[in-house]
Amino acid sequence: MVKIDLPDLVEELLAGPRPLPIVAAGDPVLRRRTLPVEGQLGSEQLNRLITAMRETMHAAPGVGLAAPQVGIPLQIAVVEDPADVSPEVREVRGRVPLPFRVLINPTYEPASDQRIAFFEGCLSVPGWQAVVVRHARVRLRGLDEKGQVLDEEVAGWPARIVQHETDHLGGTLYIDRAETRSFSSAAAVAERWNQPAPDAAAQALDFRLPSRLPGQD
Ligand code: NI
């Protein structure tokens, strides 16, 4: 295995265009396990990388960006969601605002048995969306950019975002977990499947949703 000089790789990236170019599916960097952050980058360089990732996420626009999506094989992700959606979507999807966060070496585990399904997309798979069944609530652990310990439960849309971004750091894309029959172009989602929940899409495209227990709606 070729040893990567991470500070050089990051410096080369930061010397290039802004927003940073986003790597698309098919690039092996999205499929490799990333390295835990353990002092490979100095704090000043780490902060410059985080700033550039945040700018890139805003420019896309997106609600999360993982370091491999800009070609850096380290366990770093940024998340931020202004949740500029209708009250109905907010209610059904639990899409509440998520303030800017940096996740370093994150992991998650389910914090409830409930699983919920919604359309989601990825900046590395532009132009497409699919329904992904995810844990409704997770326990998120890791560090922030200052090295402070994160250990908290996350629910609603923010739980979906942290699962999606943490998955990136393990070489997993949302398409690996998607209901493949739900795979839809962004135009089809906008025209047909923009309801708050994917029930109509499940019926018309013939894919299964997790069963809802009474009282969970
Ligand atoms: Ni993604």
Side-chain angles (χ1 to χ4, degrees):
M1 197 175 139
V2 184
K3 191 156 180 358
I4 307 167
D5 187 315
L6 286 163
D8 279 1
L9 187 65
V10 170
E11 218 43 57
E12 200 179 310
L13 176 70
L14 295 178
R18 302 291 179 91
L20 304 172
I22 296 179
V23 172
D27 189 315
V29 74
L30 291 171
R31 292 311 202 167
R32 285 189 209 115
R33 283 200 142 273
T34 49
L35 298 166
V37 174
E38 41 193 23
Q40 300 97 329
L41 309 180
S43 61
E44 183 270 339
Q45 192 185 36
L46 179 64
N47 285 332
R48 282 189 292 125
L49 174 61
I50 288 166
T51 300
M53 286 175 63
R54 185 181 186 186
E55 284 171 17
T56 303
M57 170 176 69
H58 287 166
V63 296
L65 186 72
Q69 293 184 278
V70 292
I72 303 298
L74 279 171
Q75 289 174 20
I76 304 169
V78 293
V79 297
E80 182 172 11
D81 184 10
D84 188 13
V85 292
S86 70
E88 191 190 5
V89 166
R90 176 167 300 192
E91 171 69 25
V92 173
R93 299 185 190 169
R95 189 155 176 183
V96 292
L98 173 63
F100 177 71
R101 302 281 299 269
V102 180
L103 311 180
I104 305 279
N105 305 343
T107 63
Y108 68 82
E109 60 190 69
S112 88
D113 291 335
Q114 194 190 357
R115 287 158 63 81
I116 48 173
F118 292 109
F119 274 100
E120 66 180 69
C122 178
L123 298 174
S124 293
V125 190
W128 297 91
Q129 291 194 31
V131 170
V132 184
V133 180
R134 292 198 182 270
H135 306 296
R137 172 179 281 272
V138 294
R139 182 171 178 184
L140 172 68
R141 281 187 268 207
L143 300 171
D144 71 10
E145 70 277 27
K146 299 186 184 91
Q148 305 284 324
V149 172
L150 297 180
D151 185 351
E152 60 192 81
E153 285 197 6
V154 186
W157 204 258
R160 180 165 296 266
I161 296 171
V162 303
Q163 288 171 81
H164 179 118
E165 299 311 326
T166 303
D167 284 353
H168 268 298
L169 304 177
T172 295
L173 296 178
Y174 84 95
I175 50 175
D176 304 338
R177 301 193 188 281
E179 299 301 316
T180 50
R181 294 184 63 98
S182 72
F183 203 58
S184 298
S185 70
V189 172
E191 283 165 27
R192 298 170 182 274
W193 310 131
N194 62 357
Q195 305 84 5
D199 300 71
Q203 185 134 37
L205 301 176
D206 192 17
F207 63 89
R208 290 179 60 134
L209 293 174
S211 56
R212 284 196 203 139
L213 301 173
Q216 284 191 336
D217 283 6

